[in-house]
Structures are given as C-alpha cells and as structure tokens.
Amino acid sequence: MTNSFSRPALVCNLRSGSSDEALVGRLTEICDTAGAPLVRTIILPDADLPSAATLEGGGIDLLLVLSGDGTVNAAAGALETWSGAMLPLPGGTLNLFHKTLHGDRGPEDILHDALAGKARRVHPPTILCDAGRAYIGVIAGPTTAWAEVREQFRSLSLSGLAETIPDAIDATLHGDGVRIRGSDESFQAINLTPKPDRILAEGLITDSAGSILSHGIAWLGGDFREGPSVDLSERRAVVIEGKGSIGLLLDGEPAELPSGATYRLEASPLAFLATAPATR
C-alpha cells in the first residue's frame, strides 16, 4: 500500500460524461478532511493539461484526474517523466481504464481509500507505437470509421448520423482489410489489448449483416470490443499490415500509422494508484 499524499492537484474535464462542478466540490472536501487540501484545480477545456515540470515545480505528489479514458491518456502522455502518481477518477462515459484500477466504484470512495493509504502504486501494461501509448487498447483497420458515428450519436446530430452511418457500413464491407504479419487472414479491424505479459490480438468479424449490426451497436455503446471477434495471437509485439495508411484508435482517440508499424507491450513509465485488489 502507498504512503499518504500531502500535495494533490485535480484535473477535471467538465465535458466528460459524468463530471460536474458539484462532484468537484465533493472531491475538494474529501481532500480537505483528509488533511491534504488541493494545491491546484485545473478545469478543462479552459486550461491546459499540466506538464511534468509544472507538477514538480509545485511539489505536487498526486494528480487526480476526473475524466474519461481519452483525457487520462492525454494527461498521462504528458507526465511520463514525472515522479508522482496519477489517480484516475471515473468521470467519463465508459471509464474502461478506471475499472482496471478500481473496479466499478465511485470517485468519492476511490479518493477516500487513496488518501487513507489504501491504494497500490502500479505501472500497468500498455501498448506503445509510433502514434502514442494505449492503456486500454488499440484498434486498427477500416472499421474505425464507426468512431465518427459514435461521436455524432453522442452529440445527437441526426444529419451527422445520416452522413456517417453509410460511410461506416461501406468501410466495414469494402475497406482494405488488415492482418498480423505472418498470417494470411485479414480483418476489417484488429483489436489489441495489453495484458501483464502479452498483447492479446483479436480479429473483428464482419462477415454477415448480423455481425455488422452487432459492431454498429457496440460502437454506438462506446465499446467496440463487444462486437464479434476471434482470437488471433498472444505475443509481446505485433506488426499490423495492410494497404497504405491504417486508421487507428488509441484508447478511443483517432490516429493513423503506415502498414508494417509495430505495436509493443511496455509497462507504463508513469505510476498510477489502484484501489482494487490485485489479481493474479
């Protein structure tokens, strides 16, 4: 278990799915009661994410990040050289990374435990590539077009849905497939998930109207991993090949890399706090 922290700061993304000013107030009170008042509160998108130098200069030893997975990824990417620890608090829609650290718990309970010394300092497995680092996983291939449908759905844009759904279906049916080097089988998307000692690779199945519908529903729900798939391999590094540039999602955020890029398993250089019991 970790020692107590005395100089926490808070990053909050008020555009995330379940973050609001009232929750920020409750978290502030928890820090005050624990004798570790917030040194700084950073509200996104009005302010910028802090750098490692900023946190070191302010003597901050714990960064609370109340947001969804995308903001946690962006904040962590800027802090890989920081000596402190990050405590992600669920404030988004799915909070997939948060659940790997805390299970299905609320932000107040998580913060209580962390400030009481009931948390573990961990360096979780990640997937590193030239486009960045993923803590939840990477999806590669033309099926990533469904991500734009998801964004239009979240913004309740009927015109946007009318435009993006046909494009996503067309990409799913006719887009250039991707494959793992050494395999002849191609897929419209390959999902990579970091495990403690390996990368789990899965090919997303899109061989029928039913499977396409299942993927569409999974995308609109926000978690593409729930679509039908087949296990491909388990290894520490994966090379994905296709025709030309390959569309990616790193923890749900869009990116692009050329065919032949390598995706490697690597422990996070940044420390996180986990309050869920360790699993073997």
Side-chain angles (χ1 to χ4, degrees):
M1 296 297 176
T2 65
N3 296 322
S4 297
F5 294 88
S6 61
R7 291 183 62 80
L10 171 66
V11 170
C12 174
N13 187 353
L14 292 181
R15 290 184 178 176
S16 294
S18 55
S19 300
D20 56 39
E21 293 181 358
L23 178 54
V24 171
R26 294 196 298 273
L27 297 177
T28 301
E29 291 177 4
I30 291 171
C31 291
D32 290 341
T33 301
L38 290 173
V39 175
R40 184 180 177 188
T41 299
I42 301 166
I43 302 298
L44 305 179
D46 296 333
D48 295 329
L49 288 168
S51 66
T54 297
L55 298 184
E56 295 283 3
I60 293 167
D61 52 11
L62 177 65
L63 183 65
L64 319 177
V65 181
L66 177 66
S67 71
D69 297 303
T71 302
V72 169
N73 184 298
L79 298 175
E80 292 191 352
T81 62
W82 180 47
S83 60
M86 180 185 291
L87 179 65
L89 299 173
T93 304
L94 293 178
N95 305 310
L96 298 175
F97 182 57
H98 308 71
K99 291 176 182 177
T100 68
L101 299 174
H102 311 301
D104 195 12
R105 306 176 67 208
E108 295 101 322
D109 290 341
I110 294 168
L111 182 56
H112 271 299
D113 280 357
L115 295 180
K118 300 177 181 178
R120 297 174 291 113
R121 191 181 183 101
V122 299
H123 293 266
T126 71
I127 296 174
L128 181 64
C129 64
D130 287 344
R133 186 184 301 275
Y135 295 85
I136 304 165
V138 176
I139 188 166
T143 308
T144 54
W146 283 98
E148 182 59 29
V149 179
R150 180 190 60 192
E151 294 306 312
Q152 297 299 330
F153 179 76
R154 286 179 174 175
S155 63
L156 301 178
S157 172
L158 295 180
S159 61
L161 286 171
E163 180 179 345
T164 56
I165 288 178
D167 290 342
I169 292 175
D170 182 68
T172 302
L173 288 173
H174 307 298
D176 293 327
V178 292
R179 65 185 180 278
I180 291 178
R181 177 172 290 176
S183 172
D184 294 329
E185 189 173 11
S186 64
F187 297 86
Q188 295 308 97
I190 292 176
N191 180 45
L192 305 178
T193 303
K195 300 294 184 180
D197 58 352
R198 67 196 188 280
I199 293 173
L200 173 62
E202 300 168 287
L204 275 63
I205 300 171
T206 56
D207 58 359
S208 68
S211 64
I212 293 173
L213 178 61
S214 296
H215 280 298
I217 292 172
W219 277 102
L220 292 180
D223 189 356
F224 52 81
R225 303 175 305 171
E226 295 181 359
S229 63
V230 59
D231 289 351
L232 298 179
S233 68
E234 296 180 355
R235 60 189 79 185
R236 296 189 65 86
V238 174
V239 177
I240 296 181
E241 299 178 327
K243 293 183 179 180
S245 296
I246 296 174
L248 304 173
L249 289 174
L250 276 68
D251 291 350
E253 298 301 314
E256 190 176 271
L257 281 179
S259 171
T262 300
Y263 304 80
R264 293 184 173 85
L265 184 70
E266 180 181 289
S268 167
L270 175 66
F272 292 84
L273 294 189
T275 59
T279 57
R280 295 182 178 179

